[in-house]
Amino acid sequence: MTEFVNVILNEGDLNENDERAGKQARIATMLLSRPPTNALTRQVCREIAEAAAQLGARADVCAVIVFGGHEIFSVGEDMPELRTLNAAEAVEAGRLVQSAVDALAAVPKPTVAAITGYALGAGQTLALAADWRVSGDNVKFGATEILAGLAPAGGGATRLASAVGDSKAKDLVFSGRFIDAREALELGLIDEMVAPDAVYDAAVAWASRFLDYSPAVLATAKAAFGLDEALGRRSDDRGR
C-alpha cells in the first residue's frame, strides 16, 4: 500500500471499440501525490523506487510517464524533514534519493517526465532520470541545493552535465539560480515546451510513439545506451 506514489494504467477516454484502446492501456503513469510541493521525503523516495521496480517488471506496460499533477512536479528534498535528521539519518536520506533516481533511470522502458510548476533540486534530478522531458512554458527549474548549503543529491550534477554540458551545469549548480522553461529548452534540459494545461497530454503523445514496438526490443535498445556509456568510460580510462 503506497501513500504518495501511485501507478496508473492509462485508459484515456477511448471506448472499447477504438482499435487504439488496447495500446493506450499500455502506457502507465507514475503519479507523485504529496501536496503541496511533492517534496521528496524518505518515504516518497522509497515509494518511487518501488513503483519503478513494479513498472519495470510489467510486461503489459510499454512506456511510462512520471507526473506530479497539474500544479507542481517536485521541489526536491524535504528541507524541514532534513533539518530534523542526525548525520547518519541524513546520509540515509541522500541514499534514498539516489535509489529513487536510479530506479527510475533503470526502468527498461521509454520514460517521459511531464513537468509542471517547479522542478527543483532533487526534483529536477528525478526529471533528468527520465528519457525525455516535456514541460509547461511557465515551469521553473533549478539545481537549488546550494542555496540550502547542500550539494546535489541523487547524482544531480552528473545527470545535469549529461543533459546540458559541464560548463552550463556548473553554472547552474554553483549559483543555484532558477531558469525558466524557455532557457531549459535552449540548454537541452527539456525536450518539448507546451502550454501548462497541455503537459500531460503532450507526454502521452510522446510515449504513444512507442506503442507499436515490442517492449522486449525497447528494453534491449535502452540497455544498449548503458553499455555504450560503460564502454566509453573504459576507452577514456585506457587513454589516460
Side-chain angles (χ1 to χ4, degrees), residues 14-227:
L14 302 176
N15 61 53
E16 294 180 356
N17 296 321
D18 193 313
E19 65 180 5
R20 296 178 299 157
K23 292 181 179 179
Q24 191 77 5
R26 293 170 60 207
I27 298 173
T29 298
M30 181 193 299
L31 178 64
L32 312 182
S33 182
R34 187 183 182 274
T37 61
N38 284 335
L40 300 180
T41 64
R42 290 172 291 175
Q43 181 59 26
V44 170
C45 288
R46 291 187 191 98
E47 292 185 19
I48 289 172
E50 291 169 4
Q54 175 186 341
L55 289 165
R58 291 194 64 144
D60 60 332
V61 171
C62 182
V64 176
I65 297 168
V66 186
F67 187 46
H70 294 287
E71 298 298 324
I72 191 165
F73 186 76
S74 174
V75 297
E77 291 183 271
D78 190 326
M79 292 304 162
E81 180 185 70
L82 284 181
R83 294 188 189 103
T84 70
L85 305 182
N86 61 36
E89 290 170 336
V91 170
E92 175 65 7
R95 186 194 67 78
L96 288 169
V97 171
Q98 182 80 60
S99 294
V101 171
D102 289 348
L104 176 59
V107 172
K109 310 169 191 295
T111 54
V112 185
I115 306 168
T116 56
Y118 291 88
L120 305 177
Q124 176 177 272
T125 302
L126 184 67
L128 286 165
D131 296 316
W132 297 279
R133 286 156 293 283
V134 176
S135 165
D137 59 19
N138 62 342
V139 173
K140 300 295 183 185
F141 296 87
T144 52
E145 291 94 338
I146 200 167
L147 303 180
L150 301 171
T158 301
R159 292 190 184 279
L160 183 59
S162 180
V164 306
D166 284 354
S167 179
K168 293 296 184 183
K170 288 175 181 177
D171 168 37
L172 297 174
V173 169
F174 296 169
S175 68
R177 70 182 180 90
F178 286 57
I179 62 172
D180 60 23
R182 189 166 301 279
E183 183 175 359
L185 183 64
E186 292 170 354
L187 290 174
L189 179 58
I190 61 174
D191 300 285
E192 184 178 3
M193 182 177 69
V194 298
D197 60 356
V199 170
Y200 185 76
D201 288 343
V204 170
W206 197 284
S208 295
R209 299 183 303 161
F210 309 107
L211 291 175
D212 290 328
Y213 300 100
S214 160
V217 172
L218 287 168
T220 302
K222 184 167 179 175
F225 284 89
L227 177 60

